[in-house]
Amino acid sequence: MGRGKIEIKRIENTTNRQVTFCKRRNGLLKKAFELSVLCDAEVGLVVFSSRGKMYEYSSQQSMKKTIEKYKKNTADNNHGGAITEANTQFWQQEAAKLRQQIDILTNSNKNLLGQGISDLNQKDLKQLEAKIDKAHSRVRKRKEEKCVEEIERLQRKEHQLHEANQYLRVKIMESQSNQNMNMMVPHPEYDALPFDSRNYMHANLMLPAHHYARQELTALHLG
């Protein structure tokens, strides 16, 4: 027959309790050793008997290093948890503030559009009127500034067109002047021809007929 299950409760018999402690303690130390070797794990085991006697096992050279590492990890986890909780509270407060600001801005925009003003008192209505007047003044001022900017832009454009027109006029005048100069300059082929008197009539031959008649009359008178 196999071993039966043992009820897990405090053993009342002192002798049996001590025997069971020794057996299970050795088995626990053996399991801790096997776990560290097989799984390359860092294992630290501390057992205190009912009489206060301590038994320990550490896979490292010193149990102290294992305990210090345990303390450090525990402190980091606790500190990280505290930071996480503080961050959660902070962001919850910030979210509540943002929701409140959104509600205020939403109501203010509705009031500027003339909505929900029936519940406002005299003081709130005056403040709303002052806001509207101030906004209207800003809009009018900005509108005037835009008009001035547009006028200045058109003036600059007009000045640029005027300069371009003047430039074109100068170019046209220069072109006409060059054409006139070209018409006044003689052709080089005509300058190169030699002078031949046979090609020209004598000046007397070009005189009118009455000139010769006057000369004959003079000759007859003298004879």
Side-chain angles (χ1 to χ4, degrees):
M1 294 179 62
R3 294 174 56 186
K5 277 189 176 183
I6 299 176
E7 186 179 2
I8 304 299
K9 68 176 185 178
R10 184 177 182 273
I11 300 175
E12 298 296 335
N13 187 281
T14 305
T15 302
N16 293 339
R17 185 168 65 242
Q18 185 64 30
V19 172
T20 302
F21 173 77
C22 291
K23 289 182 179 179
R24 291 184 177 267
R25 179 202 63 198
N26 293 335
L28 183 61
L29 293 172
K30 181 181 178 182
K31 291 294 183 182
F33 169 75
E34 292 175 353
L35 179 64
S36 64
V37 174
L38 294 174
C39 302
D40 193 20
E42 184 177 353
V43 180
L45 175 64
V46 179
V47 179
F48 290 93
S49 67
S50 59
R51 298 179 180 179
K53 188 175 181 180
M54 184 183 75
Y55 302 89
E56 66 178 31
Y57 167 77
S58 176
S59 60
Q60 301 298 320
Q61 294 180 354
S62 173
M63 173 63 79
K64 193 175 196 178
K65 292 182 179 179
T66 304
I67 293 174
E68 289 177 354
K69 188 174 182 180
Y70 167 77
K71 288 181 177 180
K72 183 178 182 300
N73 290 336
T74 304
D76 291 341
N77 291 333
N78 292 336
H79 186 62
I83 291 175
T84 302
E85 184 178 358
N87 288 338
T88 302
Q89 293 178 357
F90 171 77
W91 290 117
Q92 287 177 350
Q93 294 175 358
E94 289 296 316
K97 290 179 181 179
L98 289 175
R99 283 194 295 269
Q100 185 178 4
Q101 292 178 1
I102 290 172
D103 292 338
I104 293 173
L105 291 174
T106 301
N107 293 330
S108 178
N109 290 334
K110 288 182 178 179
N111 293 334
L112 290 173
L113 295 174
Q115 301 175 0
I117 60 176
S118 58
D119 297 332
L120 299 179
N121 54 29
Q122 186 71 15
K123 182 179 179 181
D124 293 337
L125 290 173
K126 287 184 178 180
Q127 292 179 353
L128 179 61
E129 183 181 8
K131 288 181 180 179
I132 294 174
D133 291 340
K134 188 175 182 180
H136 184 264
S137 176
R138 289 180 177 176
V139 171
R140 185 170 56 251
K141 182 179 179 181
R142 183 54 185 164
K143 181 181 178 182
E144 293 175 355
E145 291 176 353
K146 292 295 290 184
C147 289
V148 172
E149 292 175 359
E150 185 66 17
I151 292 172
E152 291 177 351
R153 187 185 69 82
L154 293 175
Q155 289 178 348
R156 289 194 299 269
K157 190 68 176 178
E158 182 180 3
H159 181 68
Q160 292 174 357
L161 292 174
H162 179 71
E163 289 183 347
N165 191 17
Q166 291 293 333
Y167 176 78
L168 290 175
R169 287 183 179 180
V170 171
K171 287 297 181 181
I172 292 172
M173 292 177 64
E174 290 179 354
S175 177
Q176 292 177 350
S177 177
N178 292 333
Q179 290 179 359
N180 294 332
M181 292 295 294
N182 291 333
M183 293 177 64
M184 294 176 63
V185 174
H187 198 278
E189 295 181 358
Y190 296 104
D191 293 342
L193 293 175
F195 177 78
D196 189 354
S197 60
R198 293 175 296 177
N199 294 330
Y200 297 92
M201 296 180 64
H202 195 274
N204 293 332
L205 296 178
M206 297 177 66
L207 293 175
H210 62 84
H211 178 75
Y212 294 102
R214 184 176 299 176
Q215 286 184 350
E216 292 178 356
L217 291 174
T218 304
L220 292 174
H221 179 71
L222 294 174

